[in-house]
Amino acid sequence: LEARGAWLVWILGILGIRYILALFAVSPNLAWSCINIGHGLVTFYFFHVLCGSPLGGLEDDCGKYDELTFWEQIDHGRQLTPNKKFLTALPLFLFLIAYHQTSHSDSKYLLAANALTALFVLFAKLPFMHKRRLFGINSYSTFSFPSQETSGSGKKKPRRQKAT
């Protein structure tokens, strides 16, 4: 996202999907709703559910990012940066387009699905949700296997040597 033109590529990708849907004669209200809901689901999964290095270990990060989602890694965890503002405003903008297109139709279920998707995605991007895990999703337990057994007094017992 720090590369020049990354925002433009993101917007052109969304407009490209809209053009493909227009080629298949999908109505505008359904097309923008599909884009809004699809964008929300895909970005929520990749930004807020998956943990670890976004490049899948191609970088030599030595496990530094294993407990962080991609959203928490963007701009080194700083809040309210231009990249995070763009990625927060885009779902809101897509919702407004989908709302405008859907409000003129009779499909109230589609309008509700758009609203729920926008609320769900935008809630996860709020600064107070940084490094928070809801319902235990993506939470790392601090349990580790002890290297030596302990006795009832709390002192470590020496390990038995294997007979060779």
Side-chain angles (χ1 to χ4, degrees):
L1 292 173
E2 295 175 6
R4 187 175 184 161
W7 295 3
L8 181 64
V9 169
W10 200 286
I11 292 171
L12 289 177
I14 290 171
L15 293 176
I17 292 170
R18 174 61 182 101
Y19 180 72
I20 290 170
L21 291 173
L23 289 176
F24 289 106
V26 177
S27 66
N29 64 342
L30 184 60
W32 282 112
S33 293
C34 287
I35 290 171
N36 178 40
I37 294 169
H39 181 269
L41 292 175
V42 169
T43 57
F44 183 81
Y45 179 73
F46 283 105
F47 283 172
H48 305 289
V49 173
L50 288 181
C51 288
S53 178
L55 298 177
L58 294 178
E59 296 177 349
D60 188 22
D61 59 16
C62 298
K64 184 167 108 176
Y65 302 114
D66 286 348
E67 295 184 13
L68 298 176
T69 63
F70 184 56
W71 182 258
E72 295 164 345
Q73 296 174 40
I74 294 174
D75 295 332
H76 307 290
R78 291 187 313 264
Q79 298 297 317
L80 304 174
T81 61
N83 286 328
K84 286 193 175 184
K85 287 178 183 178
F86 169 75
L87 292 172
T88 302
L90 189 61
L92 183 61
F93 184 69
L94 288 175
F95 167 71
L96 291 175
I97 293 173
Y99 173 77
H100 177 71
Q101 293 294 324
T102 312
S103 64
H104 301 297
S105 70
D106 293 331
S107 179
K108 300 302 177 195
Y109 295 113
L110 201 54
L111 186 61
N114 282 317
L116 287 175
T117 302
L119 287 174
F120 194 66
V121 170
L122 291 173
F123 183 75
K125 295 180 185 319
L126 294 175
F128 74 87
M129 289 298 296
H130 186 71
K131 293 186 180 179
R132 304 268 171 129
R133 305 293 187 252
L134 296 179
F135 309 115
I137 298 171
N138 287 341
S139 61
Y140 280 81
S141 66
T142 57
F143 177 78
S144 61
F145 291 103
S147 59
Q148 295 180 347
E149 296 178 19
T150 58
S151 65
S153 64
K155 294 182 180 178
K156 291 184 180 179
K157 291 182 182 178
R159 286 189 169 190
R160 294 182 185 178
Q161 297 291 330
K162 290 185 179 180
T164 55

